[in-house]
Amino acid sequence: MLRGLWKLTWIEIKTFLREPLGAFGTIGIPVLVFLVAGRVVGRGLPPSSLAASSFVGVGLPVLASVLISVGAVLSLVTIISIYREGGILKRLRATPLRPQTILTAHVIVKLLLTAATLILMVLAGKRYYPVGIHIPLFSFTVALLISTCSILSIGFLIASIVPTARFAQPIGAVIMYPMLGVCGLFVPVASLPPALQAVAKVVPLTYSVSLLEGIWKGDAWSAHVHDIAALVVAFIVCTALSAKVFRWE
């Protein structure tokens, strides 16, 4: 099973990289957003001000990281829909590979691309950060992978019910992007109206942003047990629901 999993994963990576537009959308856009915003906001600011800037120091990396996760979800929804519409899922299911193996390969690909994009983002953005600032790259990468796993489960749930590839990405965008407005990335959750606060409490992105912000600022993992637990619960629930309603044809 492991041999088939890694072989399928490698095939999916090669297939993804053969599509320049998809690769740029998933990898290039978050890095580009990070670089352009960092250049515009950071231009002319002295190092002390730049270090104190909450947007450049914390908000911008978290924003770019969330875009990485959302981009992975939209890409996953589109790919699964194309595979279903083209009969690829049906043919894959006829192979000795288990359905879980087929779906796990897609998750591994997205996680690898997420880690690669984050590393590129940090390396490309070093010029906007003073030398004295410590970036917990490893811990932040782990936090981002945890968040991406949880958010990808939403993508699988969307891909389970989306009718055709034509509507896959628009439906995914309509569901995912409004979550950005209530997750606390731009406006604190406590400042939102009560109705939106209730929505924020059931949106995995809310806990993802809290976890990413905390780890980036150097918080201990123990301070975010609640966020991790919420992300794990969201992953289990969405995965269980998608397994029940997933259509292979």
Side-chain angles (χ1 to χ4, degrees), residues 70-85 154-177 247:
V70 173
V73 170
L74 297 180
S75 174
L76 174 69
V77 172
T78 303
I79 290 174
I80 295 295
S81 301
I82 292 174
Y83 278 21
R84 179 187 293 116
E85 198 168 12
I154 302 176
F156 271 118
L157 185 57
I158 298 172
S160 301
I161 58 178
V162 72
T164 62
R166 178 180 298 178
F167 299 104
Q169 196 156 16
I171 291 175
V174 167
I175 294 175
M176 293 302 301
Y177 283 122
R247 296 183 298 108

Side-chain angles (χ1 to χ4, degrees), residues 60-243:
L60 181 56
V62 173
L63 170 61
S65 301
V66 170
L67 289 178
I68 293 173
S69 297
V70 173
V73 170
L74 297 180
S75 174
L76 174 69
V77 172
T78 303
I79 290 174
I80 295 295
S81 301
I82 292 174
Y83 278 21
R84 179 187 293 116
E85 198 168 12
I88 298 175
L89 283 180
K90 185 177 180 180
R91 291 195 292 271
L92 283 174
R93 199 179 185 188
T95 67
L97 294 176
R98 295 179 180 179
Q100 296 88 343
T101 303
I102 297 171
L103 299 180
T104 301
H106 287 281
V107 174
I108 292 175
V109 171
K110 298 307 176 187
L111 293 181
L112 290 175
L113 293 174
T114 296
T117 307
L118 176 63
I119 292 172
L120 287 175
M121 183 185 78
V122 173
L123 292 177
K126 274 188 173 181
R127 60 182 298 183
Y128 302 119
Y129 289 87
V131 178
I133 287 186
H134 172 66
I135 300 176
L137 182 57
F138 178 77
S139 296
F140 190 78
T141 302
V142 174
L144 180 58
L145 293 180
I146 293 173
S147 301
T148 303
C149 277
S150 181
I151 298 172
L152 278 176
S153 65
I154 302 176
F156 271 118
L157 185 57
I158 298 172
S160 301
I161 58 178
V162 72
T164 62
R166 178 180 298 178
F167 299 104
Q169 196 156 16
I171 291 175
V174 167
I175 294 175
M176 293 302 301
Y177 283 122
M179 294 184 185
L180 293 174
V182 299
C183 68
L185 186 60
F186 303 105
V187 179
V189 175
S191 301
L192 296 173
L196 292 182
Q197 289 186 32
V199 173
K201 290 181 180 179
V202 298
V203 171
L205 273 178
T206 302
Y207 305 99
S208 175
V209 169
S210 176
L211 176 63
L212 292 172
E213 286 183 347
I215 297 300
W216 186 269
K217 290 186 293 187
D219 292 351
W221 285 95
S222 58
H224 295 277
V225 173
H226 178 262
D227 296 325
I228 297 173
L231 291 172
V232 171
V233 170
F235 174 81
I236 294 174
V237 171
C238 291
T239 301
L241 289 175
S242 61

